[in-house]
C-alpha cells in the first residue's frame, strides 16, 4: 500500500459496483457476490476502505484474498474490472484455514492457501466471457466446495451483529459476558475470526455506518451524521474518517453525493 500526495478517490466512485445475493449453498458462508467495472485510468489513486470483511477477488487473471484492513488500501492509476465474493462474519478462517490476524492489510494469492484447488478455480474463471459470467462461475465453483466447509461460529456471528447494530459503544466486558467467555478468550477469538480485536472492529463498523448514512442522505450536516453514527462528536468523526479513509468527512460526503 502506498500513500500518495494526491487525494484518493473512494473505490465506489471509480467505477460501477453491483452486489448480488449468494446462491443458496453459499448463504451460510458469504454475505454477497459482487463485481466492479472500472472506468480506465484515473487522475488520483483509488482507496478501498476497511469494512470488517474478507473477500476473494478475481481480476486480471489472478485470484486474490483481500484480508481485513485497518487503513485504506490504495490502488494507483486505475481500478480494473473485479469479480468478488465477501465472506460472512467468522466464515473466512473456516475456508482459508488460517487465522485472519495473518492477513490483516494483506492481499494474498489464493494459490498460497489452496494450491491445486485455486488453480482449478482460476481455470473455470479464465473461460468467462463477461464480468457477469465470471461472477456466476465463481459462485458455482465455490458452491461445489461449500458442503465440505464448516459454518461460521455462531458466537462470532452474534458478536459481529451486536457491534454492527448497537446504538451505543459496546464495552468489551459486556460483550464477553453476553458470549459467556473471558475477555482474553474473546480477544483471541476475534483475532482468529476477524483479524483484530473488538474495539478495532467496532471502529470500522461505526465508520461504515457513517458512510451508509451519508450515502442515504449526503446533504445531512456532519454533526448530525456523527451523532447518528454513534461518534462522541464531530471531531471524533473527523479523526476516525482520516484514519480509516484518508479523507475528511466533508470530502467523503462530496464523493457520496457525486
Amino acid at each position: 500500500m502506498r500513500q500518495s500526495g494526491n487525494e484518493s478517490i473512494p473505490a465506489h466512485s471509480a467505477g460501477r459496483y453491483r452486489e448480488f445475493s449468494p446462491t443458496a449453498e453459499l448463504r451460510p458462508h458469504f454475505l454477497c457476490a459482487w463485481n466492479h467495472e472500472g472506468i480506465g485510468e484515473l487522475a488520483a489513486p483509488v482507496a478501498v476502505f476497511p469494512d470488517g470483511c474478507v473477500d476473494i477477488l478475481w481480476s486480471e487473471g489472478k485470484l486474490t484474498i483481500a484480508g481485513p484492513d485497518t487503513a485504506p488500501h490504495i490502488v494507483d492509476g486505475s481500478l480494473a474490472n473485479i469479480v468478488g465474493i465477501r465472506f460472512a462474519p467468522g466464515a473466512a478462517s473456516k475456508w482459508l484455514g488460517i487465522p485472519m490476524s495473518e492477513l490483516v492489510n494483506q492481499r494474498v494469492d489464493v494459490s498460497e492457501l489452496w494450491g491445486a484447488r485455486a488453480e482449478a478455480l482460476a481455470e473455470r474463471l479464465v473461460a468467462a466471457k463477461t464480468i457477469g459470467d465470471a461472477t456466476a462461475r465463481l459462485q458455482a465453483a465455490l458452491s461445489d466446495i461449500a458442503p465440505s466447509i464448516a459454518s461460521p461460529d455462531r458466537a462470532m456471528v452474534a458478536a459481529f451483529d451486536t457491534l454492527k447494530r448497537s446504538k451505543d459503544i459496546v464495552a468489551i466486558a459486556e460483550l464477553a459476558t453476553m458470549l459467556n467467555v473471558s475477555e482474553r478468550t474473546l480477544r483471541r477469538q476475534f483475532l482468529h475470526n476477524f483479524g483484530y480485536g473488538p474495539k478495532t472492529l467496532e471502529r470500522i463498523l461505526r465508520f461504515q455506518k457513517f458512510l451508509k448514512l451519508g450515502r442515504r442522505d449526503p446533504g445531512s450536516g456532519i454533526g448530525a451524521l456523527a451523532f447518528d453514527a454513534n461518534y462522541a462528536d464531530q471531531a471524533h468523526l473527523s479523526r476516525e474518517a482520516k484514519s480509516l479513509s484518508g479523507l475528511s468527512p466533508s470530502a467523503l460526503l462530496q464523493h457520496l453525493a457525486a
Side-chain angles (χ1 to χ4, degrees):
M1 185 175 71
R2 183 182 74 81
Q3 298 297 329
S4 171
N6 295 328
E7 185 176 272
S8 57
I9 301 171
H12 76 270
S13 299
R16 184 182 182 189
Y17 174 83
R18 292 171 293 186
E19 288 187 359
F20 308 91
S21 297
T23 61
E25 298 85 356
L26 296 180
R27 279 181 205 134
H29 306 276
F30 294 91
L31 292 175
C32 65
W34 56 271
N35 59 47
H36 182 281
E37 293 185 76
I39 54 176
E41 197 71 19
L42 299 167
V46 174
V48 181
F49 302 151
D51 60 4
C53 298
V54 178
D55 294 71
I56 300 176
L57 311 178
W58 170 254
S59 181
E60 299 183 318
K62 291 180 60 178
L63 270 172
T64 307
I65 299 295
D69 290 327
T70 60
H73 177 76
I74 306 299
V75 181
D76 287 335
S78 65
L79 200 60
N81 289 349
I82 303 170
V83 169
I85 190 161
R86 184 164 300 130
F87 284 106
S93 60
K94 305 288 187 184
W95 282 73
L96 304 179
I98 61 172
M100 291 303 95
S101 55
E102 296 185 19
L103 294 178
V104 173
N105 296 323
Q106 301 295 315
R107 299 297 184 269
V108 177
D109 195 305
V110 178
S111 63
E112 294 184 24
L113 303 176
W114 282 358
R117 175 180 280 178
E119 294 176 7
L121 177 54
E123 287 180 5
R124 291 178 71 165
L125 292 168
V126 163
K129 293 179 171 57
T130 66
I131 194 169
D133 184 20
T135 305
R137 286 172 180 263
L138 177 60
Q139 290 210 71
L142 295 178
S143 294
D144 292 342
I145 301 170
S148 66
I149 307 295
S151 296
D153 187 316
R154 290 184 179 179
M156 290 296 96
V157 174
F160 187 98
D161 286 344
T162 296
L163 293 177
K164 184 174 182 178
R165 298 175 189 277
S166 177
K167 296 182 179 180
D168 299 298
I169 293 176
V170 179
I172 295 176
E174 292 178 4
L175 193 59
T177 299
M178 184 190 83
L179 299 177
N180 196 30
V181 297
S182 68
E183 290 184 35
R184 179 176 294 182
T185 297
L186 178 69
R187 177 169 177 78
R188 184 172 64 249
Q189 291 176 338
F190 263 68
L191 290 173
H192 183 86
N193 286 280
F194 305 122
Y196 28 63
K199 300 314 291 184
T200 298
L201 179 59
E202 185 177 45
R203 286 180 58 224
I204 290 168
L205 294 178
R206 186 187 301 123
F207 176 64
Q208 285 294 323
K209 183 175 184 179
F210 161 73
L211 293 178
K212 181 179 180 180
L213 291 169
R215 192 173 292 113
R216 183 184 302 161
D217 187 8
S220 293
I222 294 174
L225 289 172
F227 177 81
D228 290 342
N230 304 331
Y231 286 98
D233 50 33
Q234 189 170 325
H236 183 202
L237 167 60
S238 295
R239 291 192 300 272
E240 291 291 274
K242 192 67 175 177
S243 174
L244 294 172
S245 73
L247 299 170
S248 68
S250 58
L252 287 166
L253 290 178
Q254 288 174 6
H255 283 294
L256 292 172

